[in-house]
Amino acid sequence: MAELRALLAGGGTAGHVNPLLATATELAALPGGAELTVLGTAEGLEARLVPEAGLPLRIVPRVPLPRRPTPELLRLPGRLRSAVRAASRAITDSRAQVVVGFGGYVATPAYLAARRLGVPVVIHEQNARPGIANRLGARWARSVAVTFPGTPLPGATLTGLPLRAAIAELVAERAADAAGRRRAGAAALGLDPQRTTLLVTGGSLGAQRINAAVSAGAAALDAAGIQVLHLTGQGKDEPVRAAAAGLDGYHVRPYLDDMASAYAAADLVLARSGAGTVSELAALGLGAVYVPLPIGNGEQRRNAADVVAAGGGLLVDDADLTPDYVTGPLLDLLGDGARLTAMSRSAAAAGIRDGAARLAELVVRAAGERP
């Protein structure tokens, strides 16, 4: 029998599932082993990724928590009771010693069920501004782990983000031979490792503002000798391809599974500032121009604040990312090798590379404290 039995609760988006799986990998590698069960929904990304990782998935009903009074609020109590019952069964059946929550729809019923059953809770919050579920669970959690300093949760411990396997491996490879990994990454993507390379991404869905502004400056970037790898988002590549037609150094893809090679080949990244992106780039020591999503609760701006303050990145408002910015300040930055190197070093100094190990330590400690 494994020394640790844990239920990991999180799902819906890659932001919840990726750190969950990274933590699961760390726990499974403990000397005494671990019996792990994942709590998720049938609709989220976890429904595919968790079984692919070889972990058992227990399903709970999806329970969105309305941020403001709506007719959906009237249905919340019944839905939540059903979800808590399902979470309670999963905890009991798995004989979990600890529940580890990563926020999102699944987390609230898991936290409530654990409290009812007297099982310790460990929470990980990925964003600088915590979500509703983790704000609730933090009130009685045994430990609260955060990705960014200053995240407003009581008694929080800074662990950083548990890095997904491909990025953790890239961190080690770059530490051993950054130049060799750059050449390998460039070769995998058909890039020239000798040219200064800008990686542009708006995430899997793409970002229209980023696509339009950078592609409008494509000719100027190419004329200055800058190589661009532009990931547009699914279904959003044709306008960018048209703008970059005939430019040998401007590479357009709608999506890329091998982000490790893209990061390995890049000198600078222009991207949104989701928690995963900011954490991965800092861990890798990659300078970035962050363009926070202009909607939502402002979490993306906060996510990037610390690494920007440390000198490892720049913040540009969505409205200020124009073709003039691309052909002006951005092009100037790309042409200044010393500044790019300094940004890289500052990003690395702000980055946390052992987030999974730090979180696993809190999990083991909480499991050992259960009466």
Side-chain angles (χ1 to χ4, degrees):
M1 182 184 297
E3 291 186 6
L4 175 72
R5 297 185 304 277
L7 182 81
L8 283 63
T13 68
H16 296 122
V17 180
N18 283 338
L20 183 155
L21 292 176
T23 304
T25 299
E26 190 74 24
L27 292 172
L30 290 170
E35 290 181 18
L36 306 174
T37 302
V38 178
L39 199 67
T41 67
E43 304 87 2
L45 196 60
E46 66 274 17
R48 176 174 62 87
L49 294 183
V50 169
E52 285 181 359
L55 295 170
L57 177 66
R58 293 291 294 264
I59 300 296
V60 294
R62 183 174 175 271
V63 187
L65 299 180
R67 293 181 180 272
R68 56 187 62 85
T70 69
E72 286 294 305
L73 193 58
L74 300 175
R75 300 175 190 165
L76 179 62
R79 288 176 172 173
L80 190 56
R81 279 194 297 271
S82 176
V84 171
R85 282 196 297 269
S88 296
R89 286 193 297 270
I91 293 171
T92 302
D93 292 347
S94 65
R95 297 178 299 127
Q97 299 162 303
V98 59
V99 169
V100 189
F102 295 83
Y105 298 139
V106 176
T108 300
Y111 298 155
L112 293 171
R115 188 185 193 192
R116 175 195 291 176
L117 295 169
V119 176
V121 170
V122 174
I123 285 174
H124 183 272
E125 173 56 55
Q126 65 154 326
N127 287 300
R129 176 173 283 179
I132 295 173
N134 281 350
R135 291 205 305 270
L136 172 69
R139 296 176 183 178
W140 63 81
R142 191 66 53 90
S143 293
V144 177
V146 295
T147 298
F148 301 109
T151 300
L153 286 174
T157 298
L158 179 66
T159 62
L161 188 75
L163 298 175
R164 52 195 171 122
I167 303 303
E169 290 168 7
L170 179 60
V171 168
E173 290 164 355
R174 282 168 61 91
D177 183 7
R181 188 60 180 91
R182 176 186 176 91
R183 290 192 297 272
L189 301 175
L191 304 176
D192 182 351
Q194 301 302 319
R195 294 179 68 174
T196 299
T197 301
L198 171 67
L199 170 62
V200 179
T201 175
S204 59
L205 298 178
Q208 186 59 38
R209 168 75 69 173
I210 291 175
N211 288 348
V214 179
S215 63
L221 290 166
D222 192 68
I226 304 300
Q227 181 173 236
V228 179
L229 175 59
H230 191 149
L231 309 179
T232 63
Q234 295 285 12
K236 298 178 180 177
D237 53 316
E238 288 307 322
V240 179
R241 291 185 191 280
L247 303 178
D248 291 339
Y250 203 104
H251 303 257
V252 181
R253 294 181 181 224
Y255 184 75
L256 183 65
D257 284 323
D258 185 11
M259 285 301 294
S261 287
Y263 287 154
D267 295 287
L268 183 73
V269 181
L270 190 152
R272 293 295 192 203
S273 47
T277 299
V278 174
S279 299
E280 290 179 358
L281 294 181
L284 290 164
L286 272 174
V289 174
Y290 293 110
V291 187
L293 194 67
I295 59 175
N297 62 7
E299 67 186 26
Q300 287 209 351
R301 175 172 288 276
R302 294 189 179 203
N303 290 344
D306 291 305
V307 70
V308 167
L314 302 174
L315 266 177
V316 177
D317 286 341
D318 190 76
D320 293 336
L321 185 69
T322 63
D324 285 343
Y325 179 86
V326 173
T327 58
L330 179 62
L331 191 53
D332 290 342
L333 173 59
L334 287 161
D336 189 340
R339 190 177 175 199
L340 289 176
T341 299
M343 285 181 69
S344 175
R345 289 174 178 161
S346 297
I352 296 176
R353 285 161 279 279
D354 61 345
R358 295 187 190 190
L359 181 56
E361 183 178 338
L362 296 179
V363 174
V364 171
R365 188 182 308 160
E369 292 173 359
R370 184 181 183 184

